[in-house]
Amino acid sequence: MPTAVPDGAAEITRSPAETVSPARSFALPRGTGRTTARIAALTACQAASMVGLGLLITGPARGLWPVTAEDTVNERLEQARTSTLTTLSSIASEAGNTLTIVTITLLACLSLLLIPRLPMWRQAAFLAVAVSLQSLVFLAITESVDRHRPDVHRLDASPPTSSYTSGHTGAATALYAGLAVLALSRLRGPWRKVVAGLLLLLPLLVGLARLYRGMHHPTDVLGGLANGGLSLLIVGRALLVDRSVTAAPSAGAVATARTGEERPPGTTAVILNPTVTDENQRHELRQTLERHGHREPVFLETTADDPGAGQTARALREGAALVVVCGGDGTIRAVADTLAGSGVPLALVPCGTGNLLARNLGLPLSPVAALEAALSGAPHRLDLGSIEGDGLPATGFAAMAGAGLDAAMMEHTDPRAKAALGWPAYALAGFGTLRTPRMQVTIRLDGSPAFRRTARMVLVANVGTVQGGVTLLPAARPDDGLLDLLVLDPRGPGGWLRAVRTLLRGRATPPQPSTVRTLKTEGDDHDGVPVEFFTFRRAELTFDTPQSRELDGDPVNPGRRLTAEVRPGALTVLLPSPEK
């Protein structure tokens, strides 16, 4: 059970002598210097590449196709002008105007920082830095490459800059494609792809408008698209993917108050599943929170239609500094998925049947004891998984997702048995699903060549231990930036014995994670391997026939496809310190 804080994660527990002074709140986030240097180096390479391309176009390649055909394109667009197209092109061109870009960037960044009251500083920095760097590279290009504008009637006044590259197009690409990235990562539901698609269309319209209005050659527009896209790639990799910059924790991020101490500003939201928490438990949880300085916590109940996402979003909008979730793995999944990336810490109070995440994090299974341990602990950055498929919209998961045997077991578990017996009800249902037919699955990991397997079960996991203390994926860690895949295919009694032996061997001596790892008995080929383990960042699973599927213990619609991807360090969770 990993309890060490990952590199870059912020520990917020302090002794009284280490109280943060107001001046310290202005300290730069951890890792800023290193990340700034890397961005600067890559941006210099970007500028050199773009300048080199411009010098090639205006020099050795000037008499080569397709550069020689560019004048014809501009002339034909001039001949195709109509009053309607001219008006539309003026509107599209304004979308890339400097004043428009600056205004929208400023409003978007302020919205990211102020409206949700999270704040989403990382996303705001991504957008602002990408747009700014694109502009800096554009200025460097125009100073280095001297290219005349097309020899056609221009509909706009010519600015005193080189035709190469299109500044309007580059700025529009950095801004609107950056907003599309944020829309895909932050919005939920089918509309997120529609919104992202419309945003991605805007830079293309701006570029086409600049061609139509006679302001640029085609290669100038392509250069603008490349310039804006490279800026997004460089900054997005540094701030959204690698996450080597960690925001300095706010005073209200974690409750450090003890009896008699003043609680930092910010509300505490308790999101609970009313079917598994009674009034006595609520009273005990309230008392525990108040002992740690969390006065007047707000209790929000989940419903059958909204298992936690809406309540979490409301808590964030209202400025929650801490979110406590009381429920099973399904409730925790909904809350964690909405909370991901916000930086607001989460305290887990396991009240369900399986409680997989709490078990793997070493939390007590008593609700009050778990809350006490969390509030006395420290924040840790944990990974989340994201999964989608046919009939399964993109959603996050905290523990495990899978298809085949385990999903069939979830489907056949009687809710009344779960309420009466707890997790042993899953084991009883499992006996009736052992004869689940094998499935044929095609697996592609991290873009490597696909391979085929037969399996009784495939399991994608962020953690390794299931109910009863059984470890299925010995190397799975919730903070290693990877997900783990188990392919289980025992055949006959001997195959099941070998599978159990492999799992026990793996649990006793967990191997280190690698790109692909297989545990099997010597001399086996793939067709006879009862258990295989793989680690990955992105996996695509395609089944020959529709299969039962489950997500953190909850059955979902059967289907033929699952795509899973890790979200490194997306969730901040309060965990007991090792000495506790």
Side-chain angles (χ1 to χ4, degrees):
M1 156 59 219
T3 55
V5 181
D7 290 342
E11 288 227 20
I12 308 177
T13 52
R14 303 182 182 91
S15 65
E18 297 173 322
T19 304
V20 178
S21 64
R24 183 164 179 168
S25 63
F26 296 100
L28 289 174
R30 187 179 305 171
T32 299
R34 184 174 61 253
T35 300
T36 300
R38 185 166 70 248
I39 290 176
L42 291 173
T43 302
C45 294
Q46 172 188 344
S49 300
M50 296 302 302
V51 168
L53 182 60
L55 294 176
L56 178 65
I57 292 171
T58 57
R62 183 171 49 189
L64 302 177
W65 189 91
V67 177
T68 54
E70 291 190 294
D71 290 340
T72 303
V73 173
N74 290 112
E75 290 167 0
R76 289 184 177 178
L77 286 173
E78 182 184 28
Q79 296 168 3
R81 289 174 183 171
T82 64
S83 59
T84 301
L85 289 177
T86 298
T87 301
L88 292 175
S89 71
S90 177
I91 296 172
S93 181
E94 282 299 312
N97 186 290
T98 300
L99 180 59
T100 304
I101 294 295
V102 171
T103 302
I104 295 178
T105 302
L106 183 61
L107 291 175
C109 290
L110 288 176
S111 299
L112 289 168
L113 292 172
L114 300 179
I115 291 179
R117 289 185 286 178
L118 299 180
M120 294 169 62
W121 69 269
R122 190 186 301 275
Q123 289 78 5
F126 158 71
L127 195 63
V129 174
V131 173
S132 301
L133 286 185
Q134 178 281 145
S135 298
L136 289 175
V137 174
F138 166 73
L139 292 176
I141 295 171
T142 57
E143 287 296 321
S144 305
V145 181
D146 185 16
R147 191 182 197 189
H148 296 294
R149 296 187 182 273
D151 189 17
V152 296
H153 174 65
R154 294 187 286 275
L155 298 180
D156 297 323
S158 300
T161 56
S162 170
S163 178
Y164 176 89
T165 62
S166 171
H168 281 63
T169 307
T173 302
L175 173 58
Y176 301 120
L179 289 173
V181 170
L182 297 183
L184 288 172
S185 62
R186 302 303 304 174
L187 298 181
R188 294 292 179 266
W191 283 103
R192 70 189 187 107
K193 293 184 178 180
V194 175
V195 171
L198 292 174
L199 288 168
L200 289 173
L201 184 61
L202 284 176
L204 301 178
L205 293 176
V206 170
L208 183 59
R210 300 303 286 171
L211 287 176
Y212 175 89
R213 300 181 71 80
M215 303 306 297
H216 292 286
H217 306 277
T219 49
D220 301 335
V221 171
L222 293 177
L225 291 170
N227 186 32
L230 286 172
S231 294
L232 282 178
L233 183 63
I234 291 171
V235 180
R237 176 76 183 184
L239 296 183
L240 300 183
V241 178
D242 294 343
R243 291 178 176 265
S244 53
V245 177
T246 303
S250 64
V254 181
T256 58
R258 301 294 182 261
T259 303
E261 289 185 285
E262 183 181 356
R263 178 190 160 206
T267 61
T268 298
V270 182
I271 299 171
L272 57 89
N273 183 340
T275 65
V276 293
T277 51
D278 56 29
E279 287 298 327
N280 289 334
Q281 285 179 323
R282 297 189 196 194
H283 178 68
E284 292 174 343
L285 295 175
R286 186 187 298 274
Q287 286 185 322
T288 302
L289 287 166
E290 291 182 350
R291 283 199 306 272
H292 286 264
H294 294 265
R295 309 298 178 189
E296 300 181 359
V298 177
F299 285 75
L300 304 173
E301 292 188 357
T302 66
T303 65
D305 295 329
D306 189 346
Q311 295 83 351
T312 307
R314 171 186 165 185
L316 293 176
R317 287 195 303 269
E318 295 177 355
L322 172 67
V323 173
V324 180
V325 56
C326 309
D329 289 313
T331 304
I332 290 174
R333 179 186 74 246
V335 173
D337 188 30
T338 307
L339 204 59
S342 69
V344 176
L346 177 67
L348 301 179
V349 179
C351 299
T353 304
N355 302 317
L356 286 184
L357 185 60
R359 293 174 190 271
N360 280 272
L361 296 178
L363 288 170
L365 297 184
S366 163
V368 173
L371 182 57
E372 183 75 38
L375 296 178
S376 302
H380 295 253
R381 293 278 292 276
L382 302 182
D383 307 330
L384 281 180
S386 178
I387 197 162
E388 61 181 322
D390 48 327
L392 177 63
T395 185
F397 68 95
M400 298 179 178
L405 182 62
D406 67 317
M409 181 175 66
M410 305 299 176
E411 287 180 352
H412 289 84
T413 300
D414 191 315
R416 291 170 297 182
K418 283 176 57 178
L421 301 176
W423 68 261
Y426 292 122
L428 293 177
F431 288 111
T433 59
L434 289 178
R435 298 185 64 84
T436 299
R438 280 187 180 81
M439 52 190 169
Q440 300 285 333
V441 57
T442 301
I443 303 172
R444 183 187 299 274
L445 303 177
D446 295 331
S448 61
F451 56 92
R452 296 273 294 173
R453 290 291 187 270
T454 60
R456 295 278 190 188
M457 175 179 78
V458 293
L459 195 64
V460 175
N462 192 35
V463 296
T465 301
V466 296
Q467 294 89 348
V470 177
T471 300
L472 292 183
L473 296 104
R477 301 288 183 268
D479 58 359
D480 60 1
L482 298 168
L483 294 177
D484 287 61
L485 173 66
L486 166 67
V487 179
L488 181 67
D489 189 29
R491 305 189 180 198
W496 282 103
L497 289 175
R498 290 164 61 206
V500 170
R501 185 174 69 246
T502 300
L503 292 172
L504 291 176
R505 183 181 63 196
R507 180 174 59 179
T509 56
Q512 294 300 313
S514 59
T515 302
V516 177
R517 180 182 67 259
T518 301
L519 296 182
K520 59 182 180 179
T521 56
E522 188 173 353
D524 284 327
D525 58 15
H526 285 302
D527 290 338
V529 177
V531 182
E532 287 185 283
F533 300 100
F534 305 90
T535 59
F536 64 90
R537 292 177 176 82
R538 177 182 172 85
E540 300 172 37
L541 310 177
T542 305
F543 307 99
D544 287 4
T545 57
Q547 300 295 324
S548 299
R549 300 182 295 187
E550 61 92 5
L551 193 59
D552 277 346
D554 291 334
V556 295
N557 295 332
R560 295 185 57 246
R561 184 174 59 84
L562 286 175
T563 300
E565 191 166 5
V566 68
R567 301 167 67 183
L571 188 65
T572 302
V573 178
L574 297 185
L575 296 179
S577 300
E579 64 272 13
K580 295 183 182 295

